[in-house]
Amino acid sequence: MEIIQKSAPHLRKPNANVVRMMRDVVIALLPLVALAIYNHGLTAVWIMLAAILSMVGTEYVYYQISDLVNKEKFKLKNKNFTLYNYSVMVSGVIYGLTIPDATPIMIVIIGGVIAVLLVKLVFGGMGQNIFNVAAFGRAFIALSFGAAVGVANFVDSEVGATVLGALSASPFADITVNYSLMDMFTGIGLPGTIGETSAMLILVGGIYLALRKSFDVFVPLVYVGTVFVLSLAVMVRMDLDWWYPLTHILSGGLLFGAIYMATDPITIPVTRPGRVYFAFGLGVITFVIRLFGQYPEGVVFAILIMNMFVPAIDYPQWARSKFSVRSAIIFTAVVLLTIMAIWVGVTYVG
Amino acid sequence: MIAKTKKISNYKQLKKELPTTRYVDPEYVYINMDTQRCKTCGLWVQEGDYVKLGQIIGEREGGFFKQPVYSTVSGHVEKTVRKLDSSGKEVEFIKIRNDFKDTYDESITDRPESVIAKMTKEEIVEIVKEKALIGLGGAAFPTYIKLDTKEDIHTVVINAVECEPYLSSDYRLIMDHPEQVFKGLQYLMQASGAKQGVVAVKKTKKELVEILEREVERFKDLNIKIAKLADFYPQGWEIETFKGATGIKVPIGELPMKYGILGFNVSTCQSVFEAVKHNLPVVKRYVTVNGDAVNFPQSIRTRVGAQVKDLIRLSDGYKEGIDKVEVIIGGPMMGTSVETDDVVVTPTTTSVLIFENIDYDEEPCVRCGSCIYSCPVDIQPVSIMNAVKRNDKKAIEALEAKKCIECGLCAYVCTSKIHVTDYVRKGKKLIG
């Protein structure tokens, strides 16, 4: 028998592990995958497969090559191969679900390969990526191939007008004439990307993750809350009805992005106040793009833009793990100023 | 997961209510000459000398105080040897062969209650100083310095929280000798001039609360109350205990005396009773032997100076079929792991834990933030870790790594099983 010397603490929390956290996200996404297949049939199957396999495959090949370069013996099961902790799998599933159904498979694969390679592997693999992999892949194919495949509003849609597309075309016309709020909630048969349309199933997944404590529930709450408050301001200012804020929350990629992409812990700040600022920023950018921007949807861009601010939010000189009175006052002031800016700015829309 | 963790789950499923054995007559005892606070020592006896129980055999010197060294048995002095003390450091020990007679030194005499009642603060402080009483919770800070404070003290808090899992030596002490704890508290209140005494325990330990409440009835005129604290970790940390027991928030880095509070561990309190009443130094103490790799976990009333390997032998030894174990002196969260079981029980040894060794695979940090949410002093362990990796001293300082109390929660909750606490320790060292 041997006595091993280690440093304290000598206990580890039994159910705290990354694999469980990532696996939970995959489980939470399963209903959405099922709905995507129900809505779009084989097309959805191919897109999902292409998205997942392109990402997982890229990571596998990359590590095999880097092992060869380091003159290590070839093994079929790579030691770095991070499939076992589901992290790249999560990226793949999320990426696949954000893709419109008219997208050619080739483009899906290119997006997946580029995203994993440029955002994750080049920066040092798991835990080092500066952007959300899925969001980057999504934005990459939208900007690079949007015109090439002849889809008008590639950022948000398949062929045909989506809810947000219609809202973007005529910002304050009552949308519920064409799309009922109930349809937006269940998401069945609604045009849009293959996995983002059902608010109901996204919420079910979100509740599951919240109960399992596998994500920080503050991020989606503040994110969606910000969009709600800002659209509420517009509603009051433009004398609209309740359909306006509800449409903003239920349609497009907001709920999906808030629950599955904005909560990816690797690319968000680490402190609670930092996460609140981050989620608030997401809400503002998303809403500004939707209201003033050319694209009908801004979730993916908001996430990528705010990802860039993470090192600044986490900067050691000012990042604190609790709200101080001073930071709370400043933050409240910023929130009020933003609402005022939207209040004034909305009159210039259209 | 990604949330504040306040409880250490008992996933090893060990019991806290353990049977007690007495082991007060080891053949040899080892008295440590140096401690973590006293680096040099003068020895007043030589090989072959006969010493009595409670006799002064030397004097330790810490920077600003001196501390007599007492023999805990009567017998013959043998050679000095080098062994590990409870902090895992190798120090010099003087070996004394027990003659099993327990012949007391002439100075060990009982004081009648009537004499004690007339004692002034200076007299009690003098006894506490002379008997070399130190913080027995593990800090080993000389008790007399605390007690000799010039500040106005209104409350004496006795810390019986014992928040680390698997420990039960303080629990055992209160179960067996509640009246000694209360007497000790009485003397401490007398010395400090405090109007109020508080005994802080976890409210989940119902038996303790019951026993203590009966003692409160018995010592009615003393104004002692029982503070029943919630069961979370690190509730036994001084500042958390004071907050729970008195409602006063002592800022980190300031002395609680400034806020009128004096805090003592329950074992220290009992040792004050022994010193004032019987004029005894710390001779015996409770040590918990627990863990999933020991055959018969139990509490042991042992002589100070006994050997840990004897305590393990008394608990029927290590379990068969386990080839790697950890031997931990102290609690599982903050205790020291030692490289051998050839360790001596010093006054600050609260427990010996023997765990089956588990090697955790560290995965890359996913910045989940659990360590930040769980940190009791509100610093950012993960950011400190990253700063340590970059060797960025400015950032470590800005992140207030100095505040860390090394409670171990950050490593405990880590989803990637990274030893975050170690990185923070390194950070503290880097900025000195």
Side-chain angles (χ1 to χ4, degrees), chain A residues 280 325-341:
Chain A
F280 173 73
V325 177
R326 190 165 149 260
S327 61
I329 291 172
I330 294 176
F331 181 61
T332 316
V334 170
V335 172
L336 292 176
L337 279 176
T338 314
I339 295 174
M340 271 170 62

Side-chain angles (χ1 to χ4, degrees), chain A residues 1-22 24 82 84-85 87 124-129 212-219 263-273 275 310-311 313-322, chain B residues 1-3 5 8-9 11-12 165-166 318 322-328 331-341 355 357-360 363-369 372-373 378-380 382-383 394-395 398-400 408 411-417 419 421-422 425:
Chain A
M1 195 204 58
E2 197 186 342
I3 296 175
I4 308 279
Q5 193 174 17
K6 281 181 173 175
S7 56
H10 307 280
L11 299 177
R12 294 292 186 278
K13 201 176 177 187
N15 60 3
N17 68 65
V18 177
V19 182
R20 193 196 105 162
M21 202 157 81
M22 298 290 179
D24 273 352
T82 37
Y84 72 92
N85 70 11
S87 66
M126 186 190 164
Q128 302 295 323
N129 41 315
R212 297 273 289 176
K213 290 182 182 155
S214 287
F215 73 177
D216 196 334
V217 80
F218 267 70
V219 177
T263 54
D264 167 23
I266 296 165
T267 52
I268 66 172
V270 283
T271 62
R272 169 117 334 139
R275 284 176 180 175
V310 168
I313 296 173
D314 275 346
Y315 189 53
Q317 302 290 347
W318 57 61
R320 288 293 166 264
S321 53
K322 289 264 165 73
Chain B
M1 300 292 284
I2 309 182
T5 299
I8 312 289
S9 77
Y11 66 94
K12 286 189 190 279
Y166 311 144
Y318 301 99
I322 294 173
D323 33 288
K324 282 180 181 173
V325 297
E326 262 191 283
V327 177
I328 301 150
M333 296 298 283
M334 296 177 77
T336 325
S337 160
V338 287
E339 59 202 309
T340 153
D341 55 8
F355 286 156
N357 177 53
I358 302 170
D359 287 316
Y360 295 98
E363 294 198 28
C365 171
V366 293
R367 297 158 49 84
C368 68
I372 295 174
Y373 288 2
D378 294 335
I379 57 174
Q380 302 161 45
V382 54
S383 307
K394 240 182 178 170
L399 290 165
E400 302 174 292
Y412 174 74
V413 300
C414 182
T415 50
S416 298
K417 309 285 178 209
H419 205 318
T421 315
D422 245 8
R425 268 188 211 122

Side-chain angles (χ1 to χ4, degrees), chain B residues 34-49:
Chain B
D34 322 338
T35 64
Q36 55 212 50
R37 289 189 189 270
C38 307
K39 305 292 177 211
T40 54
C41 178
L43 190 58
W44 297 358
V45 290
Q46 26 171 276
E47 207 182 325
D49 280 4

